[in-house]
Amino acid sequence: MRTQVAIIGSGPSGLLLGQLLHDAGIDTVILERKSRDYVLARIRAGVLEQGTVGLLDKVGAGSRLHAEGLPHDGFDLLFGGQRHRIALDRLTGGRHVTIYGQTEMTRDLMDLRAAQGGKTVFEAGDVALHDFDGASPYVTFRTGGVTQRLDCDFIAGCDGYHGVSRASVSESALTILERVYPFGWLGILADVPPVSHELIYARSGRGFALCSMRSGTRSRYYVQCGQDERVDDWTDARFWDELRRRLDPETAEALVTGPSIEKSIAPLRSFVAEPIRFGRLFLAGDAAHIVPPTGAKGLNLAASDVHYLSEAMIEHFIEGSPAGLDGYSAKALARIWKAERFSWWLTSLMHQFPENGPFAQRMQQAELDYLVSSDHAMAALAENYVGLPY
Ligand code: RFL
Ligand code: PHB
């Protein structure tokens, strides 16, 4: 088998890259380790920047998003028992974010790819990357009990944090920069109306909490939890009780609870691999970097990476110029680091850290007090939240 770009991973970055290249007449094959149903059952991100929505529109995958997605032009910070609104539209000159589940976006992109006859191999086992340092890279994988070989011009490693692509690069060629936080997020999804029509990011003495949603009838809530906690120890009743205690009395009173339809714990880390190009292998999305979810940046960074990467590949295939590919790593990393900084900052501001004593607590409180009293400070938060320009 031969293709121009072998894409490893059928998450948002692999699928969006496949579409952007397809629209430029560039052939791709996606190799995905899991089944389609498995990928579509993963509950992840929910907040899309306008830039991400713009890319989905560009490839023709935006119609359901515009019909069902919820445009949000603000969110609340809750601390000291009070809610403070961050008016994204006023602070950023009319920009907003869109609430639309990553699961739905993935489904839209998969359906579009299938309708256009794009090739995806699901349940591709033992994916291995070969000779990406040379001129003729190829990928081997197992499907239906048979080992196959896929020759290509380039390999796009879009296979997430635990994927094979970054792991195929020699350790000496990679610099890893990382911060692991001493807590996780316990999240639940429930078919209950959201407690508020906008998101609430809450700091409390018991830890961080987030009130989010997927629609007018489906809510997504998170509470900060210990690093080593087990989902099985969290009954729904315990979760709702803990969430209530981290909210102000009025919001806690308004909270509608119900049985969870998904419950999981995600560890929090900041992680960047540098560089993100190795000969004919290019990393994008979670394969290259992880942000803690506090800033809602992970999926949006995956989108900006593949925007840069698709432009670079189009420049190579259509104009015959290597300049875009040569500049990809530096260009993408410049935006990645800004999102890393924002996510780290918001995480540091809103969570309880086991090592924080009274001094650090007062610093968090003072910074939050300052933040909501200053339009300049709120504008800096808002412009990062809606997404920095590409
Ligand atoms: P993905 O989505 O992990 O997809 C990678 C795909 O590669 C496949 N794969 C392999 N395929 C073949 N061979 C192998 N050896 C393979 N190894 C792996 C996997 O099966 C998978 O299908 O990476 P991608 O495409 O880079 O997308 C990144 C995003 O998924 C991620 O950044 C976001 O979900 C992060 N995130 C959020 N981002 C936001 O922008 N806004 C949010 O509100 C937000 N909330 C979140 C989040 C992530 C969370 N969790 C669970 C980590 C909330 C949570 C709780
Ligand atoms: C979500 O709805 O899953 C979500 C929203 C905002 C975040 C993180 C996760 O910052």
Side-chain angles (χ1 to χ4, degrees):
M1 221 193 303
R2 187 177 162 83
T3 188
Q4 287 170 293
V5 182
I7 299 176
I8 319 298
S10 174
S13 48
L15 286 164
L16 186 55
L17 179 65
Q19 268 335 110
L20 290 163
L21 295 180
H22 171 272
D23 292 351
I26 298 166
D27 187 59
T28 64
V29 171
I30 296 184
L31 302 177
E32 165 60 49
R33 181 170 55 178
K34 303 285 189 185
S35 69
R36 184 178 190 275
D37 288 349
Y38 181 97
V39 173
L40 286 175
R42 285 193 298 233
I43 308 295
R44 287 187 170 175
V47 179
L48 305 187
E49 296 174 357
Q50 268 172 257
T52 306
V53 173
L55 288 170
L56 291 166
D57 280 337
K58 184 175 166 189
V59 300
S63 56
R64 198 159 68 95
L65 182 157
H66 288 291
E68 296 175 17
L70 309 172
H72 277 199
D73 50 26
F75 65 85
D76 277 3
L77 286 179
L78 163 58
F79 59 93
Q82 293 214 327
R83 282 165 63 172
H84 305 263
R85 186 162 189 270
I86 306 297
L88 295 173
D89 54 349
R90 181 178 67 78
L91 293 161
T92 63
R95 298 176 66 203
H96 64 268
V97 293
T98 302
I99 306 302
Y100 191 65
Q102 175 172 333
T103 317
E104 304 311 315
M105 167 183 161
T106 305
R107 183 185 297 280
D108 295 343
L109 286 167
M110 278 185 178
D111 288 350
L112 186 61
R113 183 171 179 87
Q116 291 172 342
K119 185 158 175 57
T120 303
V121 180
F122 288 102
E123 298 180 80
D126 300 338
V127 170
L129 283 52
H130 307 271
D131 293 353
F132 51 81
D133 282 333
S136 310
Y138 64 98
V139 183
T140 52
F141 59 99
R142 279 182 76 76
T143 179
V146 181
T147 298
Q148 299 234 26
R149 172 177 170 140
L150 174 62
D151 289 285
C152 55
D153 296 304
F154 298 110
I155 302 173
C158 298
D159 48 351
Y161 182 65
H162 299 288
V164 65
S165 299
R166 194 184 65 252
S168 306
V169 175
S170 81
E171 264 178 42
S172 61
L174 265 179
T175 302
I176 301 294
L177 300 126
E178 186 173 29
R179 162 113 210 241
V180 177
Y181 300 89
F183 42 74
W185 278 18
L186 168 66
I188 76 166
L189 192 67
D191 278 328
V192 291
V195 68
S196 166
H197 67 287
E198 292 181 341
L199 271 59
I200 305 172
Y201 289 81
R203 173 187 184 274
S204 87
R206 299 181 66 88
F208 172 79
L210 171 61
C211 305
S212 181
M213 66 195 73
R214 290 291 176 272
S215 69
T217 56
R218 180 167 284 189
S219 299
R220 179 78 167 151
Y221 292 106
Y222 298 94
V223 293
Q224 175 186 350
C225 66
Q227 225 170 357
D228 302 320
E229 296 205 46
R230 295 176 334 133
V231 180
D232 293 346
D233 294 334
W234 283 87
T235 60
D236 287 358
R238 181 177 171 209
F239 180 90
W240 293 120
D241 183 51
E242 187 58 41
L243 176 61
R244 256 193 221 100
R245 288 165 176 240
R246 297 183 187 193
L247 303 175
D248 59 293
E250 206 179 310
T251 309
E253 178 72 22
L255 186 72
V256 181
T257 63
S260 64
I261 49 178
E262 196 264 358
K263 197 187 288 163
S264 54
I265 292 181
L268 264 67
R269 72 173 72 227
S270 299
F271 172 98
V272 182
E274 288 183 341
I276 55 174
R277 184 237 176 126
F278 309 89
R280 289 177 173 261
L281 167 64
F282 297 83
L283 303 180
D286 279 15
H289 44 75
I290 295 289
V291 285
T294 325
K297 290 284 160 251
L299 171 60
N300 293 300
L301 269 186
S304 57
D305 285 358
V306 299
H307 163 74
Y308 295 134
L309 185 54
S310 64
E311 287 206 323
M313 286 184 169
I314 292 167
E315 207 174 311
H316 167 89
F317 284 113
I318 311 297
E319 295 163 28
S321 162
L325 293 175
D326 291 343
Y328 167 68
S329 187
K331 197 172 187 176
L333 280 164
R335 190 171 190 277
I336 289 163
W337 273 111
K338 293 188 191 108
E340 290 283 347
R341 186 209 66 82
F342 175 66
S343 307
W344 159 84
W345 170 75
L346 198 55
T347 302
S348 307
L349 190 61
M350 298 300 291
H351 290 74
Q352 294 294 335
F353 286 70
E355 70 268 26
N356 274 4
F359 181 83
Q361 298 270 357
R362 294 291 194 289
M363 283 298 167
Q364 277 186 335
Q365 284 160 11
E367 185 162 2
L368 283 163
D369 279 342
Y370 163 66
L371 182 61
V372 298
S373 71
S374 159
D375 257 11
H376 297 291
M378 280 193 290
L381 165 61
E383 85 173 333
N384 279 277
Y385 194 83
V386 300
L388 297 176
Y390 288 2

